[in-house]
Amino acid sequence: MTLKTNISRRNFLSTASMAMGSVLLNQLSGHSYQPEVASQPISNYLIGVGKSDITDPAIGLGMQGMADKNQRTTGVESRLFAKVFIVAEPVSFKRVAIVSTDLWSGTHIVKQEVVERLQKIYGPELYQLDNLLISGTHTHSGPGGYTHYYLYNHTLGGPNKTGGFDRHNFESIVAGIVSAIEQAHNQLAPGKIYVNRGHIEDCGRQRSPEAYFRNPESELYQYGSDTDNEMLLLKFVHLTDTNEKPLGLLNWYAIHPTDRGQYNTLVTGDNKGYAAELFEEKAYEPIVAAFANANCGDVSGNVAFGSIPTGADDIERMKKHGGQQYQLAQTLFDQATEELHGSIDYRHTFIDMSHIEIKDRPGKRTWPAALGISFAAGSSEDSKPPIPIREGITIRSITEDEASILAFSGLIAAIEVPGAELPGQFDSKLTPDFIDGHAPKPIAFAPGLANPETDFFPITPKELPIQILKIGNLVLTGIPGEITTMAGRRLKAAVQAELNADYLALAAYSNAFSQYITTFEEYQGQHYEGASTLFGPYTLMAYQQEFRKLAAAMKQGQLVSPGIGPQSITPKTTLPRITFRNLTTSPVTLTFDQHQAAPTVNLEALTVPPKADLAWMMPKEYLDSGVKVKFDRTNSTYISVNDLVTIHSNLNIEVSSYRPSPLT
């Protein structure tokens, strides 16, 4: 596109402001700069994009999303990435940084560490919790262990093993995100953002219609579909003297990335990652493409197939839904002509979701976290549960057999998670008020009432971040969980009532994870989504209320209290992991010398594939003493938990702290 040569007074001021912004940028970067106002292109914003690998490629890792202990990685089909988009005002240099990752969700412990590392590089002012948003696409085909809440880590240790936090995968993710942000920061230059939107037909269907159609008929009639099939897309460009250079795209579309089901063991970004890969491969010049998620809590592509993915046609499903998203994104990108315009702003706070009083519903509130018995059913359209249990079990519809399972839920928890306290329906900690507050949910476990002294605490979150970012006439809501179609529509309406933005994106799986958010009516049906709504039937109303407060503060130019975040983000249970990295082109077999101070345990020889990482869990008998490893009957090398053992091409063995894999 060729820029006009005539410059109005407004454009002249914008150009001058742009030059001033560049001076500030270069001063902050330690570089000198001599502005040439006449040569500066007209721009609304400074823009930078970045992309970096966040894949932990080790074989043997527990995968996050399906909660299947037997689903462990066997290789990498497509790598996982962090995509970053920084937008700053030219004069004030006020900015927001949006990060979309090929992960199950953003988590608080990841974001906190990213912010701390950025502040060591850039100082405390540029990047904070407030203006940085980190979301996940919600792929279920990546390794887990990067949250400090135990419920989301507990299946990662494998059959009959306690799970926990994975320091190596965490480091791969954090280091990659920081690298992508650095790229975007260093690339900041005059640019524009174009916005466009369109619809995709039959790319994801309603997987819980029984719950969805509980919503009021008057509300259902407002919408032509039982899923949100709109894609909202941003096109980022840099400006030169004569033209525009496309840099990247960021879009939001609601669909579960569960085409690759629980029988898949290859790391992949699923349909979102596939769509991004297609776009970047087919672009005429380098483009950073991010396909983020929205209100997909009850939307799945597997409904159209009438069965869960079994491994037979998973790739075809992924390509179908990824291809549909790519095709619309390409059209919207090519045809985008409307610019975003206006100031940048943001608000962020922590709220205690275990007790929020609903102002327009006197006497109603949220409650500490509890899971209904249908939580154990999982999403029956996407996966097979470990025990045969149905969705939709309420206190009014529960059968005798289901009630007997409920009665033993405390015992089941004790077997599954030895040492943790997960009160069940008949535990004395569940007061009548608590039970009534969660009704009609038959409570299988109440992790919100767990003993804070347990080794596994915290099990689920209660202090959660909510966030609103504003880029001109676009508003972006950072939602710490997965929100259903109608719940998303209601939350959007609550924010719009204050800000009346031209465009509003629901960025789900952002900054933390707190499971599902359903409408009050959907909750009454206790399908998987309702049974997994942690804080009771008024969860959505609480989010609507608190997001509206943020929006009102933004509208009125008022600051907000930062709130009180999680008291501790130090994981109390970590995986006893060692990573073996084979840089040679042949398999390498390692043997172990057992420490004399430890009990005798049969440690079998370990073969590490060529050009690969392999995860190995230290037996509990050796957690304190460590073990010695040797290659080809040569000298032994001492190793301990969290070490990286690298076998170099000359067959030397190096033991070090973990660093992300250089292998591709």
Side-chain angles (χ1 to χ4, degrees), residues 65-68 71 140 207 258 260-263 300 302 307-309 317 375-386 389 391 528:
M66 296 296 184
D68 186 337
Q71 189 185 20
H140 286 41
R207 74 181 187 189
T258 49
R260 307 301 292 275
Q262 72 193 95
Y263 301 105
S300 171
N302 292 315
S307 64
I308 67 170
R317 296 186 188 196
F375 157 75
S379 167
S380 56
E381 294 78 17
D382 294 320
S383 63
K384 182 179 180 180
I389 200 164
E391 296 186 69
Y528 168 64

Side-chain angles (χ1 to χ4, degrees), residues 290-313:
F291 285 68
N293 224 325
N295 50 329
C296 76
D298 51 1
V299 184
S300 171
N302 292 315
V303 177
F305 293 89
S307 64
I308 67 170
T310 62
D313 61 351

Side-chain angles (χ1 to χ4, degrees), residues 27 109 369 388 655:
Q27 287 177 344
I109 190 171
V655 179

Side-chain angles (χ1 to χ4, degrees), residues 198-224:
H199 294 80
I200 313 176
E201 295 303 323
D202 200 22
C203 181
R205 295 184 185 179
Q206 177 58 243
R207 74 181 187 189
S208 291
E210 297 90 343
Y212 176 83
F213 286 104
R214 285 176 172 267
N215 293 306
E217 286 190 17
S218 58
E219 185 177 35
L220 295 173
Y221 287 145
Q222 294 179 38
Y223 304 99

Side-chain angles (χ1 to χ4, degrees), residues 349-357 365-369 461-466 535 542-543 546 563-565 567:
T349 190
F350 285 95
I351 55 177
D352 183 352
M353 282 297 294
S354 70
H355 192 147
I356 292 181
E357 296 181 358
R365 53 164 286 194
T366 59
W367 294 85
K462 68 169 186 173
E463 302 97 351
L464 287 159
I466 59 172
F535 307 107
Y543 276 118
E546 300 306 309
I564 300 175
Q567 297 302 296

Side-chain angles (χ1 to χ4, degrees), residues 253-555:
Y253 184 80
I255 183 175
H256 254 80
T258 49
D259 293 326
R260 307 301 292 275
Q262 72 193 95
Y263 301 105
N264 172 54
T265 58
L266 296 175
V267 172
T268 171
D270 209 297
N271 56 60
K272 296 284 184 183
Y274 181 73
E277 183 180 344
L278 276 180
F279 198 103
E280 293 176 355
E281 284 181 352
K282 294 179 181 293
Y284 291 108
E285 50 191 316
I287 293 286
V288 173
F291 285 68
N293 224 325
N295 50 329
C296 76
D298 51 1
V299 184
S300 171
N302 292 315
V303 177
F305 293 89
S307 64
I308 67 170
T310 62
D313 61 351
D314 294 22
I315 294 177
E316 288 74 15
R317 296 186 188 196
M318 176 186 75
K319 289 183 176 180
K320 174 185 182 296
H321 299 123
Q324 287 175 293
Q325 292 174 76
Y326 156 71
Q327 289 169 2
L328 179 60
Q330 186 68 70
T331 299
L332 296 178
F333 187 85
D334 292 341
Q335 297 178 357
T337 58
E338 181 181 349
E339 291 181 44
L340 291 185
H341 56 84
S343 61
I344 289 172
D345 207 352
Y346 46 83
R347 295 292 186 277
H348 177 285
T349 190
F350 285 95
I351 55 177
D352 183 352
M353 282 297 294
S354 70
H355 192 147
I356 292 181
E357 296 181 358
I358 310 303
K359 302 304 182 185
D360 59 357
R361 297 289 182 95
K364 304 303 181 183
R365 53 164 286 194
T366 59
W367 294 85
L371 293 161
I373 189 170
S374 288
F375 157 75
S379 167
S380 56
E381 294 78 17
D382 294 320
S383 63
K384 182 179 180 180
I387 56 175
I389 200 164
R390 66 185 173 94
E391 296 186 69
I393 302 174
T394 70
I395 55 177
R396 293 181 290 272
S397 69
I398 191 168
T399 67
E400 289 186 10
D401 289 343
E402 291 162 350
S404 66
I405 295 174
L406 194 64
F408 284 100
S409 61
L411 177 61
I412 294 170
I415 295 172
E416 260 312 285
V417 192
E421 184 178 348
L422 283 170
Q425 179 79 42
F426 302 104
D427 192 288
S428 60
K429 286 189 175 182
L430 272 63
T431 64
D433 284 349
F434 184 86
I435 293 172
D436 289 344
H438 277 279
K441 175 193 292 177
I443 299 171
F445 309 113
L449 300 180
N451 184 349
E453 300 303 319
T454 176
D455 289 342
F456 301 98
F457 188 84
I459 296 172
T460 56
K462 68 169 186 173
E463 302 97 351
L464 287 159
I466 59 172
Q467 182 180 37
I468 296 178
L469 305 182
K470 174 180 173 291
I471 306 174
N473 49 332
L474 167 78
V475 167
L476 178 61
T477 60
I479 304 168
E482 42 193 315
I483 187 166
T484 63
T485 298
M486 192 63 81
R489 289 165 172 165
R490 291 187 192 176
L491 182 59
K492 182 182 289 189
V495 175
Q496 282 288 69
E498 296 295 336
L499 294 176
N500 194 29
D502 293 336
Y503 299 96
L504 194 151
L506 298 171
Y509 312 101
S510 291
N511 305 322
F513 185 76
S514 60
Q515 292 180 238
Y516 281 82
I517 305 165
T518 63
T519 68
F520 177 87
E521 293 83 359
E522 291 164 357
Y523 184 92
Q524 305 307 306
Q526 283 297 292
H527 277 253
Y528 168 64
E529 296 84 3
S532 302
T533 296
L534 289 177
F535 307 107
Y538 295 96
T539 296
L540 172 62
M541 293 184 190
Y543 276 118
Q544 288 175 279
Q545 174 179 289
E546 300 306 309
F547 265 103
R548 189 161 184 171
K549 288 180 184 177
L550 277 191
M554 179 177 284
K555 179 180 180 180

